[in-house]
């Protein structure tokens, strides 16, 4: 039997008496691109926080490549190959673009906590970091402190930090939030390019991005997955239409 | 675009600039006592060298890893106590040479770092600071509770000329202060090199990442608590070496070596020197010894001046003196410094006038309030001022006001010129970035 890249079973999360995630089941195949959509407050970001170890679920099971990861710290989960980005840019503000990306690749490159080798001697890592920086189109900003980048450059760096470590399950939390249409197009192209062959979960509000990028779509409403299927089937799903997508698509249609 | 820009860039670990800087550092350390001539000056150099190691080790915490410790003297001080006991063992026949004592103290520091750091590094940020404060108090209390190890109020004495070995036979017995100086200079050079090299390693860089954003560091695979713990141990090792050199230098260790006042001094002067650049703490150490030894001779109110300078720096130049230096170097690099000459000269000139007025007021107040027994006249920069005469106060206030207003006028000119230069530099940087494909 083949194991899923990521498998959530009956995951719940309550903050006090408020249940935010109410029994989520989700099984993502290896190499699949999944978009998680849903109205505001449905629990999308909370779900990512549970998977990446930022919060611990109240109950349920989360398996990464078949291994239970509940109760593990974020760094342990990261070492198992799951990497995530943040909705609110979360970078190493005083370090340069290059140093940001290199730090994100450092642990997985096998260096861990070493202090007996100069960074400059890590040729393979440095070349890989330069290449990643080029593919993120941040080359000309190489030595600029991350805090001085423009918003869209910071978003690109955010994704860069996420994929630099070579994790094979990537969680992107609203990667295109706050971007203009042209920036979004360019950025989706970039995400496609840098996540080839990886399992991708992304929270996204832009339906153009969702339908363009995802193999399957999970619709999260009030802490439950009400549909998880291919874009066409989700679009046609009566329950989804009723709960969420109908309204959104109508609104998009009205714009167009 | 040239091909060179297309290739991935590789850093050379020892490029020309670095060789020049490190050689210059070594030559300066070698020649300083020759230039100093007087014994007092050599004593000052010794203290400064030790303080430089201590402040740099402190900056591994504050500047590199963003850990605001209030208890760094715990590690320098305990290192000094272990050193003094080891020195006495050498006197009792232990076969290790005296020059190894700082290493012994370094490993003692490392051990205490491993022990106490295990507790302090459980938390980051403000809780970390609070725990270090508590541990510092605890160790100081222990220093008074265990006179067997700490020697009570009197402390413990030792003799650095003890021991044997072929180097001792050749006359290396630390009898004269100059030998102690060169021992300190060698340790300073090696520690500086080692601490600098550390900043260029994976752990050193991850410490920066944890400083900037501990949460994100966890999500790229790092246990930030473990990073903090390793950094505290590394820092304590070098702090211990500074303590060992202190023990050799004074041939004594007293409980005040672990006191919070000393920890506060490391914090304050490391900050003044600047935490953002590696060499900042060395500047801080020079200021520390200058204030502690020279300034305190010049005026009894020296702590007041230090406090005011600290306040001004925190508000106007939080990067410390090293950041001011680097900002000016950047100007020179872009050919923008010459335009700053006159504004600088004006600010310095009127700043000094204002400083005189301020110092006169402080000194007269001090004389009148604290030292009235020795008369009412104080000399401020060779000018006698009588605190019992109203005119003195008026003159001082007028000078302060005049100097202050003129300073402010020049400061505004300076800001204008500085801002214009900044715009031109920004343009130049943009152009250079656009040239990179």
């Amino acid at each position: 039997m083949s194991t899923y890249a990521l498998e959530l079973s009956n995951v719940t999360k309550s903050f006090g008496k408020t249940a935010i995630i109410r029994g989520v089941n989700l099984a993502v195949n290896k190499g699949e691109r999944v978009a998680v959509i849903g109205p505001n407050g449905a629990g999308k970001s909370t779900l990512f926080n549970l998977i990446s170890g930022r919060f611990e679920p109240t109950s349920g099971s989360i398996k990464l490549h078949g291994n239970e990861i509940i109760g593990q710290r974020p760094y342990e989960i990261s070492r198992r190959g799951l990497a995530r980005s943040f909705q609110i840019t979360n970078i190493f503000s005083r370090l340069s673009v290059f140093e940001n990306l290199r730090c994100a690749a450092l642990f997985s490159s096998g260096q861990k906590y070493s202090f007996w080798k100069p960074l400059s001697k890590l040729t393979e890592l440095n070349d890989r970091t330069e290449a990643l920086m080029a593919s993120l189109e941040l080359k000309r900003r190489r030595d600029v402190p991350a805090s001085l980048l423009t918003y869209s450059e910071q978003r690109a760096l955010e994704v860069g930090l996420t994929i630099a470590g070579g994790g094979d399950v990537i969680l992107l939390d609203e990667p295109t939030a706050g971007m203009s249409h042209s920036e979004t197009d360019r950025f989706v192209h970039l995400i496609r390019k840098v996540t080839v062959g990886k399992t991708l979960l992304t929270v996204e509000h832009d339906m153009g991005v969702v339908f363009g990028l995802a193999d399957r779509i999970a619709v999260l409403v009030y802490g439950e997955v009400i549909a998880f299927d291919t874009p066409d089937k989700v679009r046609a799903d009566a329950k989804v239409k009723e709960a969420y997508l109908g309204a959104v698509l109508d609104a998009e249609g009205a714009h167009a | 675009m040239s091909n060179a820009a297309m290739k991935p860039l590789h850093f050379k670990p020892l490029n020309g600039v670095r060789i020049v800087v490190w050689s210059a550092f070594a030559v300066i350390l070698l020649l300083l006592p020759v230039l100093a001539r007087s014994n007092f000056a050599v004593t000052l150099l010794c203290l400064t060298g030790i303080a430089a190691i201590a402040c740099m080790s402190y900056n591994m915490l504050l500047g590199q890893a963003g850990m605001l410790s209030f208890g760094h003297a715990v590690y320098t001080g305990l290192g000094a106590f272990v050193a003094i006991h080891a020195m006495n063992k050498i006197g009792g026949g232990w076969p290790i040479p005296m020059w190894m004592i700082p290493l012994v103290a370094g490993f003692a520091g490392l051990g205490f770092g491993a022990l106490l750091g295990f507790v302090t590094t459980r938390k980051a940020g403000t809780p970390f600071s609070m725990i270090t404060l508590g541990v510092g108090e605890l160790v100081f209390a222990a220093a008074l509770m265990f006179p067997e190890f700490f020697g009570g109020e009197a402390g413990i004495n030792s003799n650095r000329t003890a021991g044997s070995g072929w180097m001792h036979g050749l006359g290396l017995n630390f009898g004269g202060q100059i030998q102690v100086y060169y021992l300190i200079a060698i340790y300073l050079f090696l520690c500086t090199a080692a601490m600098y090299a550390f900043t260029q390693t994976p752990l050193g860089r991850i410490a920066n990442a944890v400083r900037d954003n501990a949460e994100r560091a966890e999500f790229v695979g790092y246990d930030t608590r473990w990073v903090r713990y390793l950094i505290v141990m590394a820092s304590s090792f070098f702090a211990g070496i500074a303590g060992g050199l202190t023990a050799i230098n004074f041939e004594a260790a007293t409980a005040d070596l672990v006191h919070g006042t000393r920890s506060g001094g490391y914090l304050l002067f490391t900050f003044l020197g600047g935490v953002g650049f590696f060499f900042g703490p060395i500047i801080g150490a020079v200021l520390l010894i200058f204030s502690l030894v020279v300034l305190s001779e010049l005026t009894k109110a020296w702590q007041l001046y230090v406090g005011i300078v600290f306040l001004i720096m925190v508000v106007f130049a939080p990067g410390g003196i090293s950041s001011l230096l680097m900002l000016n170097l950047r100007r020179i690099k872009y050919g923008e410094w010459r335009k700053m000459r006159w504004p600088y000269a004006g600010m310095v000139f009127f700043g000094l006038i204002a400083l005189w007025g301020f110092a006169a007021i402080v000194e007269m107040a001090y004389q009148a309030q604290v030292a009235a027994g020795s008369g009412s006249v104080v000399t401020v920069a060779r000018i006698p001022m009588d605190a019992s005469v109203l005119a003195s106060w008026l003159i001082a206030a007028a000078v302060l006001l005049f100097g202050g207003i003129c300073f402010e006028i020049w400061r505004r000119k300076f800001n204008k010129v500085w801002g214009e230069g900044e715009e031109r530099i920004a343009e130049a940087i943009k152009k250079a970035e656009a040239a990179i494909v």
Side-chain angles (χ1 to χ4, degrees):
Chain A
M1 155 207 150
S2 76
T3 51
Y4 294 106
L6 190 67
E7 186 180 9
L8 282 69
S9 323
N10 299 316
V11 173
T12 69
K13 176 67 181 177
S14 308
F15 292 100
K17 280 185 180 163
T18 320
I20 302 295
I21 302 293
R22 305 187 299 173
V24 164
N25 292 290
L26 201 63
V28 181
N29 295 315
K30 272 181 192 138
E32 199 173 22
R33 295 170 195 277
V34 174
V36 181
I37 64 172
N40 286 328
K44 302 184 295 293
S45 284
T46 306
L47 192 64
F48 271 25
N49 286 336
L50 296 178
I51 298 170
S52 62
R54 203 184 198 188
F55 304 148
E56 199 170 322
T58 309
S59 68
S61 146
I62 302 176
K63 283 181 178 158
L64 180 64
H65 301 307
N67 300 310
E68 185 64 54
I69 55 169
I70 282 184
Q72 293 194 356
R73 300 276 303 275
Y75 63 86
E76 293 170 306
I77 296 171
S78 157
R79 290 174 198 176
R80 286 173 177 269
L82 185 139
R84 69 163 295 181
S85 78
F86 291 82
Q87 188 183 348
I88 296 162
T89 305
N90 206 350
I91 53 187
F92 305 118
S93 50
R94 284 160 67 185
L95 295 182
S96 70
V97 168
F98 178 77
E99 294 292 2
N100 262 274
L101 294 172
R102 186 159 66 177
C103 279
L106 210 47
F107 195 94
S108 60
S109 76
Q111 289 308 314
K112 301 185 177 173
Y113 304 96
S114 76
F115 55 88
W116 44 87
K117 246 179 276 175
L119 287 161
S120 55
K121 289 266 169 73
L122 307 173
T123 314
E124 195 270 330
L125 172 67
N126 293 336
D127 290 350
R128 194 147 50 82
T129 305
E130 297 280 359
L132 173 61
M133 193 167 57
S135 72
L136 293 168
E137 292 167 29
L138 287 173
K139 207 169 170 181
R140 66 182 62 195
R141 308 285 267 167
R142 183 184 192 279
D143 298 316
V144 176
S147 58
L148 299 183
L149 298 178
T150 65
Y151 178 76
S152 64
E153 284 169 343
Q154 287 189 346
R155 294 308 296 171
L157 183 59
E158 175 73 42
V159 171
L161 289 185
T162 308
I163 59 168
D168 50 9
V169 179
I170 309 283
L171 273 55
L172 300 179
D173 196 350
E174 299 201 28
T176 65
M179 286 191 174
S180 71
H181 267 294
S182 62
E183 279 173 338
T184 301
D185 289 346
R186 205 173 61 84
F187 205 60
V188 169
H189 179 71
L190 181 71
I191 290 172
R192 242 179 215 292
K193 192 170 70 176
V194 295
T195 57
V196 169
K198 303 189 178 212
T199 309
L200 178 71
L201 255 82
T202 172
V203 168
E204 191 51 72
H205 278 298
D206 187 322
M207 286 307 137
V209 175
V210 170
F211 286 104
L213 194 66
D215 300 325
R216 281 203 288 173
I217 296 174
V219 185
L220 192 67
V221 177
Y222 295 118
E224 281 172 286
V225 175
I226 61 166
F228 182 36
D229 217 324
T230 59
D232 288 340
K233 283 186 181 158
V234 166
R235 208 196 284 262
D237 190 304
K239 250 195 315 185
V240 175
K241 268 190 179 159
E242 186 191 342
Y244 170 58
L245 208 49
V248 176
L249 287 178
D250 288 349
E252 294 241 325
H255 277 298
Chain B
M1 208 48 240
S2 71
N3 277 333
M6 304 296 290
K7 274 191 239 158
L9 290 162
H10 290 299
F11 278 118
K12 290 178 210 141
L14 269 181
N15 57 28
V17 178
R18 279 195 200 167
I19 292 175
V20 169
V21 168
W22 287 99
S23 309
F25 185 45
V27 170
I28 288 170
L29 289 178
L30 208 62
L31 293 184
L32 270 177
V34 184
L35 300 170
R37 283 161 193 254
S38 77
N39 283 336
F40 176 63
V42 174
T43 307
L44 276 186
L45 290 175
C46 288
L47 293 174
T48 307
I50 296 171
I53 298 175
C55 287
M56 279 189 283
S57 73
Y58 183 71
N59 204 40
M60 288 175 94
L61 300 175
L62 183 59
Q64 215 181 337
M67 301 162 79
L68 177 64
S69 165
F70 291 128
H72 198 58
V74 163
Y75 303 108
T76 54
L78 288 176
F81 274 102
V82 170
I84 212 88
H85 285 289
M87 284 165 73
N88 285 333
K89 292 275 190 247
I90 290 177
W94 268 22
I96 59 165
M98 194 56 78
W99 60 264
M100 281 184 72
I101 285 296
L103 267 185
V104 173
F107 283 106
L110 178 66
F112 285 113
L115 186 74
L116 302 172
F118 188 75
V119 183
T120 58
T121 58
R122 291 186 73 89
K123 301 277 181 215
T126 309
F128 167 81
S129 300
M130 294 300 173
I131 300 169
T132 60
L133 193 62
V135 168
E137 290 296 307
L138 191 107
V139 170
F140 182 67
L144 299 178
M145 277 168 65
F146 300 103
E148 300 82 3
F149 184 77
F150 294 98
E153 300 247 318
I156 292 181
N157 295 319
S158 186
N159 175 11
R160 69 184 176 217
T161 61
S164 53
W166 61 271
M167 284 211 272
H168 202 269
L170 286 175
L172 187 75
N173 53 19
F174 301 114
Q177 189 66 30
I178 194 72
Q179 288 192 359
V180 176
Y181 169 79
Y182 280 111
L183 180 76
I184 291 170
I186 290 167
Y187 270 103
L188 173 60
F189 187 84
L190 294 177
C191 288
T192 307
M195 282 188 261
Y196 181 74
F198 183 77
T199 64
Q200 305 298 318
T201 63
L203 179 59
R205 184 67 73 250
I206 279 302
N208 298 154
V210 171
R211 169 198 69 197
D212 282 6
N213 191 340
E215 183 182 49
R216 190 59 190 250
E218 294 253 338
F219 282 100
V220 296
Y222 280 92
D223 180 354
T224 53
R225 189 190 158 193
W226 184 242
V227 172
R228 288 195 298 273
Y229 187 44
L230 291 172
I231 295 291
V232 162
M233 285 197 277
S235 161
S236 307
F237 173 72
F238 292 106
I241 289 178
L245 290 168
T246 304
I248 289 181
N249 191 41
F250 289 123
E251 302 182 282
T254 50
D256 70 283
L257 288 180
V258 296
H259 193 257
T261 311
R262 198 168 276 263
S263 300
Y266 293 141
L267 160 58
L268 197 143
F269 283 95
T270 300
F271 186 88
L272 277 185
V275 299
F277 294 96
F278 179 77
F279 64 92
I282 301 178
I283 299 174
V286 173
L287 293 174
L288 169 64
I289 299 307
F290 174 80
S291 309
L292 220 57
V293 182
V294 182
L295 190 64
S296 64
E297 281 294 311
L298 289 174
T299 166
K300 289 202 172 68
W302 65 278
Q303 282 161 317
L304 190 142
Y305 296 106
V306 170
I308 286 172
V309 169
F310 183 67
L311 274 183
I312 291 173
M313 292 298 280
V314 169
V315 176
F316 295 103
I321 290 168
S322 58
S323 79
L324 297 180
L325 280 177
M326 293 311 277
L327 279 175
N328 282 289
L329 270 182
R330 182 162 168 265
R331 293 266 141 170
I332 294 170
K333 185 181 152 197
Y334 286 96
E336 291 283 343
W337 202 83
R338 285 173 66 86
K339 300 182 189 74
M340 318 285 306
R341 279 180 306 174
W342 285 109
Y344 264 129
M347 276 169 68
V348 169
F349 182 73
F350 291 107
L352 286 175
I353 291 177
L355 177 65
W356 185 88
F358 178 75
I361 291 172
V362 169
E363 295 302 317
M364 285 194 292
Y366 209 85
Q367 192 70 16
Q369 294 297 319
V370 185
S374 60
S376 60
V377 179
V378 284
T379 329
V380 184
R382 304 198 174 183
I383 301 167
M385 300 288 287
D386 190 338
S388 63
V389 181
L390 180 66
S392 312
W393 293 87
L394 292 178
I395 289 169
V399 169
L400 173 59
L401 196 67
F402 169 74
I405 289 171
C406 292
F407 177 84
E408 179 59 21
I409 290 169
W410 278 97
R411 195 183 68 85
R412 288 183 183 181
K413 280 188 197 180
F414 175 88
N415 276 356
K416 192 164 164 282
V417 177
W418 183 274
E420 287 164 3
E422 204 59 27
E423 279 171 22
R424 282 191 293 271
I425 291 175
E427 281 294 309
I429 291 175
K430 241 188 202 157
K431 268 188 198 162
E433 269 180 8
I436 303 172
V437 177

